[in-house]
Amino acid sequence: MPVPVPQQRSVPAAETSHGDLTLLVIEDDPAGTTITVPELSAAAGTRVRIRTARNFTEAARLLTDDVDCILLDLALPVTGSDSGPGDGPVSGRADELAALTHVLRIAPLHAVLALTAEDDTELAAEAVRVGAQDYLFRGELDARVLSRAIRYAVERKRADIAQHQLTESRLRAQENARLERGLLPTPLLDGSGLSFAARYRPGRSRALLGGDFYDVVRTPDGTVHAMIGDVCGHGPDEAALGVELRIAWRALTLAGLCGDELLSTLQQVLEHERQSEEIFATLCTVDIAPDGRRAGLCLAGHPAPLLARHGRPARLLPYEDGGPALGLLPRARWPRRQVELGGAWSLMMYTDGLIEGRVGTGGSERLGQDGMVAMVNGRLEQGLAGEELLEAAVAEVRELNGGELTDDVAVLLLGRDPERIRRWGGSAPRSHPASSVTGRPLGVQRPPL
């Protein structure tokens, strides 16, 4: 039967680098070893406990968590009973390293010293390349050399494991970043004539996605549908749920749903996908008519958008007829209010992370919607618009808060400029509608972080 692989610890024994060390010697004749326990105990102030094994069956039994290092005689034969699933047929130089390959398989977290003859330097170097931390020649096997080699091998193995874990963490972080970037929305506004800008900042450290979500699409009838929402909470589960709701909203919108029917369906999605019945989500949807002068507004426990008409101060849209947040009431309804936008306008939709930052001495007060309206109007008087307006607004909120905001922040800005539309002959170019500030194509735009 194959030798069973012993249970490996999650942390290597290198943690005991400055205390007692335990050495497992695997040699076909341990009694012939010239190193004795008293000699190793006195060497370099480090006491080394020695265990000996004549074959791999004994080694597997003695290979416990307190073993720090393995001294392996490369000449030890590997029999058929010793081989395991990871030990394939070997030949040539690999046959001479079969014992080492077997030990590395059954003890992946232990430091290994290879013991070989003095005249086989090539085999010793190959053993290090395969996975041993160091090698020793039988003729130089005195107490001081062995004690030093054990300590170095243990520390080198510890460094190798730490480097491997760091590399895995970096790769995992890169994969997560690519995945999260792929889940961020790409606005579909070709042919609408509307400008678009967005800012998105997750509250979680080193994350690209938070519980806030938004999306903008144009349906074949020319209507532009915009949405912004916020899942309560700040963890990865909330971020995943926000992505699910955004994708569901886009699919339902492109299928022709809007208003109460769409929000009722989204609530069903939320109820099936949430981790707990306490989880809810706020939502604001705006459906802009093809002529760009009117819109339908639905609020589900979400702050009302901010509308700025040409030459007039920005003001909040009506919010008295809003419904509850999604996931709170089983048979809730969300009335749809008609709003007059006018000829030239800018519409800012946002999550509560923008208005819940602290302001004032000691940070005892919150910015609130009134403070946000005053802040935006101040920036509009300076002539800011589009991305510059959003960048300045988010930067000022952070400054008033005295540092980074702990909540997710999502802000999007839609605008209509009849003069620009006329210059384009009645509508924006179908393939590359441009941002009002940067002129970048919106069809491929990602929201800046």
Side-chain angles (χ1 to χ4, degrees):
M1 296 293 292
V3 176
V5 178
Q7 184 69 33
Q8 293 293 312
R9 55 191 157 200
S10 58
V11 179
E15 297 169 352
T16 60
S17 58
H18 299 291
D20 296 347
L21 296 174
T22 299
L23 176 69
L24 175 60
V25 180
I26 308 177
E27 190 180 16
D28 56 355
D29 186 18
T33 303
T34 59
I35 300 301
T36 62
V37 175
E39 290 173 336
L40 281 177
S41 300
T46 301
R47 185 175 63 179
V48 179
R49 295 184 294 268
I50 294 181
R51 298 177 185 174
T52 58
R54 292 180 174 81
N55 52 53
F56 292 113
T57 301
E58 289 185 12
R61 179 174 54 82
L62 297 175
L63 190 60
T64 55
D65 284 351
D66 59 337
V67 172
D68 298 281
C69 186
I70 298 172
L71 178 62
L72 172 67
D73 185 357
L74 295 181
L76 186 68
V78 178
T79 64
S81 61
D82 294 325
S83 61
D87 302 327
V90 293
S91 59
R93 179 62 76 183
D95 182 57
E96 298 176 339
L97 295 173
L100 175 61
T101 303
H102 180 75
V103 168
L104 293 176
R105 181 181 66 82
I106 66 173
L109 298 180
H110 288 79
V112 178
L113 288 171
L115 183 63
T116 186
E118 294 85 346
D119 58 351
D120 207 344
T121 305
E122 183 179 345
L123 178 62
E126 183 69 10
V128 173
R129 189 192 67 80
V130 169
Q133 273 60 59
D134 205 346
Y135 63 85
L136 293 170
F137 295 128
R138 291 189 182 89
E140 64 178 19
L141 201 61
D142 62 71
R144 186 170 297 277
V145 170
L146 180 56
S147 179
R148 183 173 63 249
I150 293 172
R151 296 197 307 274
Y152 287 172
V154 167
E155 291 301 327
R156 191 174 296 118
K157 183 64 176 180
R158 185 180 187 181
D160 290 344
I161 291 176
Q163 181 62 40
H164 180 71
Q165 292 173 342
L166 178 61
T167 301
E168 284 188 338
S169 298
R170 287 175 176 171
L171 292 175
R172 191 178 303 112
Q174 292 172 2
E175 292 176 357
N176 291 341
R178 286 194 296 269
L179 175 62
E180 292 186 43
R181 287 192 186 98
L183 295 175
L184 290 171
T186 300
L188 302 180
L189 285 171
D190 286 353
S192 68
L194 301 182
S195 61
F196 171 87
R199 282 292 179 271
Y200 188 92
R201 290 182 179 274
R204 291 188 297 135
S205 176
R206 294 191 296 272
L208 295 179
L209 282 176
D212 291 2
F213 54 97
Y214 70 90
D215 206 350
V216 182
V217 299
R218 180 175 182 262
T219 48
D221 64 354
T223 303
V224 171
H225 306 266
M227 171 271 293
I228 193 165
D230 181 4
V231 177
C232 69
H234 308 288
D237 291 337
E238 288 76 12
L241 182 56
V243 171
E244 292 181 88
L245 292 175
R246 181 189 69 78
I247 295 175
W249 176 88
R250 175 174 285 202
L252 294 170
T253 299
L254 294 176
L257 275 67
C258 67
D260 183 77
E261 185 179 11
L262 186 149
L263 293 178
S264 297
T265 308
L266 281 180
Q267 174 158 279
Q268 294 180 39
V269 174
L270 172 67
E271 291 171 346
H272 287 293
E273 298 296 330
R274 62 186 176 183
Q275 300 291 324
S276 166
E277 292 185 358
E278 286 74 30
I279 299 295
F280 63 89
T282 65
L283 196 70
C284 170
T285 66
V286 176
D287 307 311
I288 303 171
D291 64 5
R293 303 182 67 90
R294 302 176 310 278
L297 171 66
C298 281
L299 295 175
H302 199 88
L306 189 66
L307 176 65
R309 294 191 178 97
H310 182 67
R312 301 181 186 177
R315 64 177 180 84
L316 294 172
L317 290 181
Y319 52 86
E320 293 82 3
D321 296 336
L326 302 182
L328 292 183
L329 301 177
R331 290 176 292 276
R333 288 294 176 262
W334 295 271
R336 189 166 179 263
R337 173 191 284 261
Q338 288 297 319
V339 178
E340 292 295 327
L341 300 177
W345 48 265
S346 294
L347 183 69
M348 190 175 84
M349 306 168 67
Y350 54 93
T351 57
D352 59 6
L354 187 69
I355 60 177
E356 291 189 348
R358 301 287 181 176
V359 296
T361 305
S364 58
E365 302 177 5
R366 295 190 183 275
L367 177 63
Q369 288 181 291
D370 292 339
M372 179 198 65
V373 173
M375 176 188 67
V376 171
N377 279 325
R379 297 299 182 176
L380 290 173
E381 291 175 359
Q382 297 174 3
L384 300 184
E387 292 186 357
E388 290 181 347
L389 173 62
L390 295 189
E391 184 67 27
V394 173
E396 185 171 348
V397 169
R398 292 170 59 195
E399 182 179 351
L400 292 172
N401 190 61
E404 286 292 342
L405 301 168
T406 57
D407 199 2
D408 305 326
V409 176
V411 193
L412 64 89
L413 188 68
L414 291 169
R416 183 176 188 270
D417 183 354
E419 289 295 328
R420 183 165 58 91
I421 294 174
R422 276 194 291 271
R423 289 196 301 269
W424 287 341
S427 65
R430 175 142 185 94
S431 57
H432 297 294
S435 165
S436 61
V437 174
T438 65
R440 290 198 298 266
L442 286 180
V444 295
Q445 181 179 354
R446 289 289 185 189
L449 298 176

